[in-house]
Amino acid sequence: MYDERVRRIRRWIDAVLRGSASALELLADLVSGSEDVELHTVVTFRAVVDAVVPETPELDPELGPDHVPGGLGVDLEEFVVTYVDDGFQLGLPYLGPRGNVPLADPIAQLLDVAALALLDRGGNTGELDDDRPVSLLDPGEASPREVRAAAGAFSKLSRRDRLRAVGLLDELELEISQFDGELFEFDGGLVGQLVVGFTEMIYYSEWQGYDEFTQPPSERVHPNDPAAVQSWRQTGYPGFSPGYAALRGYLGSDDGPLGDGDAWTTVDEESSVRILREPGSFRENDYDTSDYAEPFPE
Amino acid sequence: MVGNDYDVVVVGAGGDGPVAAWKLAEAGLSVLVLEAGPFYGNEQWPAPSERPGGEASSSVADLSGELLDEQFTTREFEMVNKLLFGPADHERGFWFRKFPGDGAILQCAGVGGTTLHYTGCHPRAYPASMDEQGHWPIAYAELLPYYREIEEMCEVTPAPVTAKEELFFRGAAAAGWPLLHDLNVTTSGYRPQPNAIRRPDPKLHVDAGYDGPVTYPEVRGDTLSLGNIAGNPHPRGAPYEEKAKRSSNVSFVPAALETGNVTIRPNAFVTDVRTETALGDAPTATGVDFRDTWSGRTERVDAEVVVLAAGAIETPRLWKNADLPDNEWVGRGLTIHFGDNVMGLWREADLDERLGKGTIDQHEGQDIAARFDYPGLGMLQTVGTTPGVGAILGFGASASGFTFQNDPADAPWDTMGRLAGPELKRLLADYRRMLQMLVVSDDRPHRRNGVTVTPGLADEHGPIPVVNYEPSEGDRKRRDELATIAAEILREAGAAHVHRSDSPPTALHVHSTMRMGYVLDEACEAYDVDRLFVADHSALSNGVGGANPTNTGQALAARTAERILDRHF
Ligand SMILES: Cc1cc2nc3c(=O)[nH]c(=O)nc-3n(C[C@H](O)[C@H](O)[C@H](O)COP(=O)(O)OP(=O)(O)OC[C@H]3O[C@@H](n4cnc5c(N)ncnc54)[C@H](O)[C@@H]3O)c2cc1C
């Protein structure tokens, strides 16, 4: 199983490199140098989460201590890895469990490719730092030597340079030959979606409140309480509610059919637009498009 | 039991398919609806994401509000995962589509289709988009009786005002735009959304001092809690048909089942359209093959007429995979309302002055309840989102990199781009003082944009759809103009900071890939295949001017059903 995984990733990367700039080909050895795929993926996804929703001590004076912890504080990277591994399927029975395509390892490798491309272009503002990946793990989780050996270029970049590297992927249309005899095109932009968009969505959603999200839906429990969801405390989102007494009324004006009755408040003194207590309805008007002018003809 | 011979088989129980099924069944035809996704809120499938359950549903008595309450938790992450286009089995991932660029396509699987996600906005097309743009073979006036019929079924009314709408209306009025009162919109201005959501209970007025339970039967109609994208089962405790949001599973599916002539079979993915060709003739549709997504077994059903309603991506995919005659427009001319997000952030004191409270609270009220129309450009709408969905739709993607890579100097916005890191956390710390506007532009059909399939890229249902979308110069200008207007309105409403996402193409509204007048005739029957009709948004000849498309898609489906009866029964 382990061999199969490495073999697959190697082939994936080979194909990526064939499709990318020639200077990058020289770096192929560097990228696939790591044998500890699992640790490499863990470190890389921690580096992602650390860049997208970082710990932010700088927000403490401005917004308070609730705003300091980030995604790593709630083990977000573990779930992101599970999610990208389980989330997409091509419906082919031989592709992993239930036909889902495990994407986390190859994505981690692709992020290194992107990091190297950034360095190659001189687009980085900071230097590679071997200690960064080490600092992303808790003390005792793995020896610094192992971490340095497993970590790729992506996790050695500064936070902002990591984001810049992700940005480069948006430009890449990759063509990847993943399985014998089958062409599987993969699009770099999807990586950005998964590592930035989905990481943000998961972090700011209710996700942290579940005991275990991977349980069957009917068995999932959620306390629906900001005490259980760090991001809710940071956004002020109060949790899901069956409803709110938030009705202010209906829009209307003196001469229109949209509303009726007492005015609650006036929107615009001059045009007599008000928010009224009683609802009205739209007018079924005659229409005439004869004086229509196309704003931007093509 | 599902028989193997029907008058009509409808492929897809999304926004439009159930409308056609209802009209045809009312006229006495036997109709089978095959739907790729699950059937939520139905006694036949008590755990639709976990077990295969029953085979089909033909009775309105199967519908259960209680089950819907249980299955539609309104927890945003869970619900988006549940509803997005993929198989019922929760252990399996989404069905893959390739969409070059870093945008995304949002469609749902399940009875109700993408209206399970939709926010209930039900305006009509801009008349000029049909009568002046030259894409449509029929006039706007032709659709009017059908609009009225659909609006009545969906209980469309002007949406209620909560704090976020009030703020927007003040901004739009201060920016000098007029209030529009009309259903047929020919000039620009702002108005409440015509929403297919029942009115909120009057008890829920901020002045009424109500502090009882906000559940049925104490409260009826809408409960002003955000949650449409998460399926919206409110009011909790209400019977299935009394749910406030009139998504097609609530508005048309009960009416269709009520006729006694409709069978709905979920978890049934149609993979082939069968035809017969008499010598020298065009092929005639005779039925379909479908695959049970739980068992993997393929079955066949015959019908006098086949109606494709699988949505604007899957209908052309099915056509191509079924090897039906190609013409140069099958799958082409895709419009997605090339969109963007512009948001405002307010200081507490400024809100206090305008709203009488220091927060906007976008999680209160209907998701989208106020709009700005500009025929020829498109529309703007206020959007309340829960924080996770807001983050991925509004901040998680941009065509112009991260905010720290852009200097918008003289632009009408203070920041532009994708947000991550401390900038993201700072912005979202203001979640309750933020108002997002969705820019929805009137992009035009271009032949390069659309759906193709490549033999090597297949899943269990055949080659997957590969979607291409590249807006034109004009499409970009229309979007920029709308984004500028949005920024002006937000400033007039007192926003202290305005942010523009410059979103990559993201498809919430997907249409015009099997266009009437190009692939379909004026009855929406295929030019090249007899007895094969299309009744979903792919049949629209363009993007209806940028107005939310479902009212028009449904009105057209109702009209198509009448044409089917005229021609073949
Ligand atoms: C977040 C969000 C909010 C929205 N809000 C609004 C709004 O407020 N107003 C508005 O007008 N529009 C809105 N829309 C868009 C609207 O929901 C869609 O335009 C509408 O549902 C399209 O209807 P349709 O019938 O063309 O396709 P769909 O509703 O997508 O239905 C297609 C159905 O066919 C099924 N299917 C697909 N392939 C097959 C197959 N091969 N065999 C069997 N079944 C198949 C699918 O599972 C699906 O159920 C929104 C969309 C999103 C994503």
Side-chain angles (χ1 to χ4, degrees):
Chain A
M1 179 60 208
Y2 174 77
D3 281 354
E4 170 52 28
R5 254 167 77 182
V6 172
R7 199 169 63 83
R8 206 173 64 218
I9 290 158
R10 280 260 163 81
R11 249 189 304 140
W12 187 300
I13 289 166
D14 286 348
V16 170
L17 292 177
R18 250 183 286 124
S20 331
S22 61
L24 279 176
E25 249 166 76
L26 302 170
L27 300 167
D29 287 343
L30 237 179
V31 182
S32 46
S34 159
E35 289 294 317
D36 193 341
V37 178
E38 211 154 293
L39 186 56
H40 174 261
T41 301
V42 169
V43 171
T44 308
F45 273 85
R46 288 208 185 185
V48 164
V49 167
D50 177 60
V52 175
V53 266
E55 194 177 84
T56 44
E58 67 268 37
L59 295 183
D60 187 0
E62 193 183 326
L63 298 169
D66 270 355
H67 294 268
V68 173
L72 291 181
V74 296
D75 299 329
L76 180 61
E77 79 288 353
E78 279 176 28
F79 183 70
V80 173
V81 168
T82 308
Y83 188 72
V84 298
D85 272 349
D86 292 352
F88 298 88
Q89 67 153 331
L90 294 177
L92 303 171
Y94 51 88
L95 291 189
R98 302 246 172 182
N100 296 331
V101 186
L103 288 172
D105 295 341
I107 282 179
Q109 301 280 350
L110 262 174
L111 289 171
D112 284 338
V113 174
L116 294 171
L118 184 75
L119 295 166
D120 191 50
R121 291 184 186 189
N124 52 314
T125 53
E127 294 307 314
L128 289 186
D129 182 345
D130 267 2
D131 288 335
R132 281 203 186 98
V134 177
S135 70
L136 290 170
L137 273 87
D138 294 330
E141 231 177 307
S143 81
R145 193 184 49 78
E146 281 171 302
V147 176
R148 285 194 191 95
F154 183 79
S155 60
K156 297 175 185 172
L157 290 171
S158 74
R159 282 176 178 165
R160 280 220 164 156
D161 285 342
R162 276 174 247 160
L163 295 176
R164 288 189 176 94
V166 170
L168 285 190
L169 288 174
D170 294 347
E171 299 166 19
L172 290 182
E173 282 290 317
L174 304 175
E175 201 171 87
I176 289 167
S177 175
Q178 194 192 5
F179 303 99
D180 293 318
E182 289 203 40
L183 179 78
F184 177 62
E185 274 184 42
F186 193 81
D187 158 31
L190 181 65
V191 176
Q193 274 283 9
L194 286 175
V195 302
V196 180
F198 279 82
T199 299
E200 292 182 3
M201 172 171 174
I202 295 166
Y203 180 74
Y204 282 105
S205 76
E206 82 282 3
W207 158 77
Q208 193 203 343
Y210 295 102
D211 287 343
E212 189 51 78
F213 183 76
T214 48
Q215 280 177 323
S218 63
E219 289 164 35
R220 280 176 207 154
V221 274
H222 194 284
N224 193 24
D225 183 350
V229 186
Q230 172 178 299
S231 69
W232 285 3
R233 299 193 295 277
Q234 294 176 342
T235 57
Y237 182 71
F240 303 95
S241 162
Y244 296 103
L247 177 65
R248 289 179 173 226
Y250 295 87
L251 199 65
S253 65
D254 293 344
D255 60 345
L258 277 175
D260 208 358
D262 305 339
W264 195 77
T265 176
T266 301
V267 166
D268 178 14
E269 299 288 349
E270 281 150 40
S271 75
S272 77
V273 175
R274 305 188 207 297
I275 294 170
L276 301 146
R277 207 169 258 281
E278 297 299 319
S281 59
F282 286 106
R283 187 155 52 202
E284 180 71 75
N285 60 314
D286 292 334
Y287 64 92
D288 174 9
T289 60
S290 57
D291 61 355
Y292 173 78
E294 180 63 44
F296 295 107
E298 35 188 342
Chain B
M1 252 314 275
V2 172
N4 51 15
D5 199 356
Y6 289 83
D7 290 328
V8 180
V9 60
V10 177
V11 179
D16 303 348
V19 177
W22 161 64
K23 295 277 284 189
L24 294 165
E26 263 209 325
L29 303 189
S30 65
V31 181
L32 174 67
V33 182
L34 296 169
E35 165 55 45
F39 201 149
Y40 297 107
N42 188 305
E43 310 261 7
Q44 301 284 332
W45 297 273
S49 318
E50 291 155 51
R51 288 190 296 280
E55 187 182 82
S57 177
S58 313
S59 164
V60 77
D62 289 342
L63 301 175
S64 160
E66 210 174 312
L67 279 178
L68 203 68
D69 283 344
E70 204 179 294
Q71 293 155 9
F72 283 12
T73 62
T74 72
R75 299 194 289 257
E76 56 174 333
F77 181 65
E78 172 178 59
M79 288 310 299
V80 166
N81 280 287
K82 200 176 257 188
L83 299 179
L84 274 184
F85 192 64
D89 184 351
H90 77 101
E91 289 188 31
R92 301 179 55 191
F94 306 130
W95 282 314
F96 195 75
R97 282 92 178 270
K98 188 169 156 33
F99 193 14
D102 45 357
I105 304 169
L106 284 177
Q107 286 184 313
C108 301
V111 172
T114 311
T115 68
L116 295 173
H117 255 355
Y118 101 140
T119 53
C121 308
H122 240 63
R124 298 178 181 179
Y126 297 131
S129 72
M130 294 187 68
D131 291 348
E132 308 297 331
Q133 284 181 14
H135 301 119
W136 284 79
I138 59 170
Y140 179 80
E142 278 253 357
L143 282 186
L144 283 175
Y146 302 100
Y147 276 136
R148 290 184 198 116
E149 187 175 25
I150 297 296
E151 286 160 5
E152 196 184 318
M153 286 292 285
C154 296
E155 306 184 31
V156 176
T157 52
V161 178
T162 63
K164 61 182 181 290
E165 293 79 29
E166 180 171 347
L167 194 62
F168 168 79
F169 291 137
R170 287 176 181 280
W177 298 101
L179 171 64
L180 304 176
H181 298 99
D182 303 328
L183 281 167
N184 306 306
V185 173
T186 55
T187 55
S188 45
Y190 65 96
R191 58 178 171 146
Q193 281 283 0
N195 270 355
I197 304 174
R198 284 189 174 170
R199 288 218 151 105
D201 200 306
K203 277 185 190 132
L204 298 180
H205 196 281
V206 288
D207 274 356
Y210 180 71
D211 66 354
V214 195
T215 47
Y216 188 91
E218 285 82 1
V219 165
R220 285 161 199 261
D222 186 35
T223 62
L224 298 173
S225 177
L226 208 69
N228 285 320
I229 293 177
N232 195 355
H234 299 126
R236 292 258 182 224
Y240 190 98
E241 294 95 320
E242 299 284 315
K243 299 299 185 187
K245 172 177 143 178
R246 315 310 284 169
S247 42
S248 76
N249 57 317
V250 175
S251 51
F252 293 100
V253 166
L257 292 173
E258 198 75 65
T259 64
N261 296 327
V262 173
T263 298
I264 300 179
R265 175 158 179 172
N267 310 311
F269 202 112
V270 176
T271 51
D272 200 7
V273 178
R274 311 177 69 87
T275 56
E276 270 168 14
T277 311
L279 207 61
D281 261 352
T284 299
T286 60
V288 299
D289 289 344
F290 65 94
R291 181 181 170 280
D292 184 301
T293 62
W294 285 100
S295 71
R297 267 198 307 278
T298 298
E299 295 177 43
R300 164 186 171 170
V301 61
D302 295 324
E304 298 295 311
V305 163
V306 173
V307 176
L308 302 184
I313 307 292
E314 294 296 325
T315 288
R317 174 206 189 186
L318 176 58
W319 180 288
K320 284 168 184 273
N321 287 345
D323 243 350
L324 298 174
D326 221 336
N327 92 11
E328 58 166 4
W329 282 100
V330 170
R332 305 291 178 157
L334 168 74
T335 52
I336 63 167
H337 287 170
F338 183 43
D340 207 345
N341 289 280
V342 179
M343 63 213 97
L345 292 153
W346 275 257
R347 288 192 201 93
E348 196 175 332
D350 295 336
L351 289 175
D352 246 330
E353 184 190 319
R354 286 177 164 80
L355 295 175
K357 62 173 188 166
T359 48
I360 299 168
D361 293 330
Q362 55 170 311
H363 55 287
E364 296 182 1
Q366 297 179 355
D367 306 46
I368 299 186
R371 62 185 288 118
F372 168 84
D373 296 283
Y374 197 139
L377 289 183
M379 66 170 183
L380 300 170
Q381 36 189 21
T382 54
V383 192
T385 56
T386 41
V389 166
I392 195 167
L393 288 182
F395 318 123
S398 171
S400 53
F402 289 91
T403 42
F404 62 80
Q405 295 170 308
N406 297 313
D407 175 15
D410 303 324
W413 24 87
D414 303 299
T415 47
M416 182 167 85
R418 185 185 242 175
L419 280 153
E423 290 87 353
L424 175 76
K425 287 179 76 182
R426 190 176 282 115
L427 196 92
L428 271 163
D430 273 332
Y431 171 77
R432 294 182 72 162
R433 280 193 296 276
M434 176 192 298
L435 180 60
Q436 193 165 322
M437 309 248 311
L438 192 63
V439 173
V440 183
S441 65
D442 177 16
D443 59 348
R444 307 294 159 87
H446 309 292
R447 217 176 80 77
R448 66 172 176 276
N449 292 332
V451 180
T452 54
V453 293
T454 334
L457 270 174
D459 69 7
E460 57 207 354
H461 303 121
I464 63 166
V466 176
V467 182
N468 186 56
Y469 183 82
E470 179 64 39
S472 69
E473 196 49 38
D475 298 335
R476 289 183 188 284
K477 284 185 184 152
R478 283 184 277 276
R479 191 180 79 139
D480 285 344
E481 186 70 23
L482 285 166
T484 305
I485 295 171
E488 280 163 13
I489 291 177
L490 291 171
R491 296 256 192 239
E492 289 290 348
H497 183 103
V498 174
H499 173 79
R500 181 182 180 186
S501 295
D502 188 19
S503 305
T506 299
L508 300 164
H509 299 165
V510 198
H511 7 69
S512 64
T513 50
M514 302 287 283
R515 304 163 68 203
M516 197 182 184
Y518 297 77
V519 179
L520 311 171
D521 68 16
E522 79 72 51
C524 288
E525 185 167 8
Y527 284 130
D528 297 325
V529 185
D530 289 341
R531 294 177 175 267
L532 182 60
F533 288 77
V534 175
D536 61 28
H537 287 27
S538 66
L540 303 174
S541 300
N542 62 15
V544 306
N548 318 57
T550 305
N551 198 4
T552 308
Q554 293 182 336
L556 191 59
R559 179 180 177 278
T560 300
E562 287 184 5
R563 295 296 183 278
I564 291 172
L565 291 165
D566 291 349
R567 280 194 184 173
H568 298 295
F569 294 95

